[in-house]
Amino acid sequence: MENKVYSVKKTARLAGLLYLIWIITGLYAMFYIPSQINMRTDAVTTAQNILSNEFLFRISIMNDLISSAIWVFLVLVLYRMLKPVNERQAKLMVALVIVQIPAVFIMEAFNITSLMILKGEILKTFELSQRQDLATLFLKINEYGVLALELFWGLWLFPLAILVYKSRFLPRFLGIWLIIDGFALLVLSFTSLLLPQYKDIVYKIVFPAMLGEFAFMLWLLIKGAKNNMPTKANAQV
């Protein structure tokens, strides 16, 4: 039993470390890159911004791919830790993450394609204005793809929240906060797609709820897991 408890604590801290790295890559993509490369302007200005920051744009693509890989490893570590609580919920959690990965690779393919178009490496017979418009179209597809993925960013938190709440080796308030976080992301996703003019307002309102993952990460990294272990009966609930 002591070895099992130690294993859970070790797994929890590993999950916390992966969570921290994943959050850092996410913040880098969400805040730093847009502050350096403004892609929400007209096609001409967007093209100029990307070409003048080409290396940073390429780094942003690699960052997104690395972030997705880390997320896969993270959810597998969480699965290992939370599987004894409820295997079906743990599998659902993994599935809601894995299903997003192909979409991320396709979206990054759009990004690198837009860069190739802007540099004239492909579609060389097109006029410059046409290439700029087409590259902007690919970037817009990527942008709306992210808004659609926000739905799954919220959905995967529900089975995770249930597992945390029932685990007994993690505090229940984290499970509740993760559920609220999931609903906040769903609201933000629907607002962004249906009522985009209110996106910024809704984001400011739901932002405190979206700190649930950050709190969960800090708990795993600093506290790890308690000594309480789920019984076989609890694992099948």
Side-chain angles (χ1 to χ4, degrees), residues 21-31 33-34 39 56-72 100-101 103-112 139 142-143 146 149 153:
I21 299 172
W22 181 57
I23 288 177
I24 290 173
T25 59
L27 293 176
Y28 180 82
M30 292 174 60
F31 296 104
I33 296 297
M39 292 183 285
L56 185 59
F57 186 74
R58 291 180 181 275
I59 289 177
S60 71
I61 295 172
M62 285 302 304
N63 177 77
D64 291 341
L65 295 176
I66 292 171
S67 180
S68 297
I70 292 172
W71 197 9
V72 172
Q100 302 179 55
I101 305 304
V104 173
F105 279 91
I106 292 172
M107 289 159 55
E108 295 310 318
F110 284 145
N111 276 340
I112 196 65
L139 293 172
N142 179 283
E143 182 179 333
V146 171
L149 283 180
W153 296 352

Side-chain angles (χ1 to χ4, degrees), residues 163-189:
L163 291 166
V164 170
Y165 186 83
K166 292 182 176 181
S167 66
R168 297 197 308 162
F169 52 81
L170 292 168
R172 287 190 166 186
F173 82 88
L174 286 176
I176 296 172
W177 200 345
L178 287 171
I179 288 177
I180 297 173
D181 193 342
F183 277 114
L185 285 166
L186 292 184
V187 170
L188 185 60
S189 176

Side-chain angles (χ1 to χ4, degrees), residues 3 6-7 13 17 19 30-31 49 69 73 87-88 117-119 131 159 169 178 182 186 196 209 212:
N3 289 336
Y6 174 76
S7 177
R13 290 223 163 87
L17 178 60
Y19 225 129
M30 292 174 60
F31 296 104
N49 290 339
F73 287 118
E87 186 173 357
R88 285 173 295 181
I117 293 173
L118 291 175
K119 293 185 67 178
R131 295 204 308 269
F169 52 81
L178 287 171
L186 292 184

Side-chain angles (χ1 to χ4, degrees), residues 63-104:
N63 177 77
D64 291 341
L65 295 176
I66 292 171
S67 180
S68 297
I70 292 172
W71 197 9
V72 172
F73 287 118
L74 168 61
V75 77
L76 292 177
V77 173
L78 289 173
Y79 174 81
R80 178 185 176 186
M81 180 178 69
L82 296 169
K83 177 183 176 182
V85 179
N86 188 303
E87 186 173 357
R88 285 173 295 181
Q89 291 291 338
K91 287 181 178 178
L92 177 60
M93 174 187 66
V94 173
L96 288 171
V97 170
I98 298 299
V99 73
Q100 302 179 55
I101 305 304
V104 173

Side-chain angles (χ1 to χ4, degrees), residues 114-236:
S114 66
L115 178 60
M116 294 172 66
I117 293 173
L118 291 175
K119 293 185 67 178
E121 295 178 0
I122 56 177
L123 303 179
K124 296 179 181 180
T125 58
F126 283 40
E127 295 182 3
L128 177 60
S129 60
Q130 292 175 318
R131 295 204 308 269
Q132 291 172 340
D133 287 339
L134 189 57
T136 302
L137 172 62
F138 281 120
L139 293 172
K140 285 294 182 181
I141 293 173
N142 179 283
E143 182 179 333
Y144 278 95
V146 171
L147 297 180
L149 283 180
E150 283 182 354
L151 177 68
F152 286 91
W153 296 352
L155 288 177
W156 91 283
L157 292 179
F158 291 113
L160 174 61
I162 292 171
L163 291 166
V164 170
Y165 186 83
K166 292 182 176 181
S167 66
R168 297 197 308 162
F169 52 81
L170 292 168
R172 287 190 166 186
F173 82 88
L174 286 176
I176 296 172
W177 200 345
L178 287 171
I179 288 177
I180 297 173
D181 193 342
F183 277 114
L185 285 166
L186 292 184
V187 170
L188 185 60
S189 176
F190 288 135
T191 303
S192 300
L193 293 171
L194 300 176
L195 301 167
Q197 65 271 28
Y198 297 112
K199 177 185 176 182
D200 292 338
I201 297 175
V202 172
Y203 177 78
K204 291 178 182 179
I205 295 173
V206 303
F207 178 75
M210 293 167 59
L211 294 175
E213 286 187 87
F214 188 75
F216 180 52
M217 176 273 294
L218 287 178
W219 186 277
L220 291 176
L221 193 61
I222 299 172
K223 292 286 189 178
K226 297 179 181 178
N227 293 337
N228 299 335
M229 295 296 298
T231 63
K232 290 184 178 180
N234 290 335
Q236 300 302 320

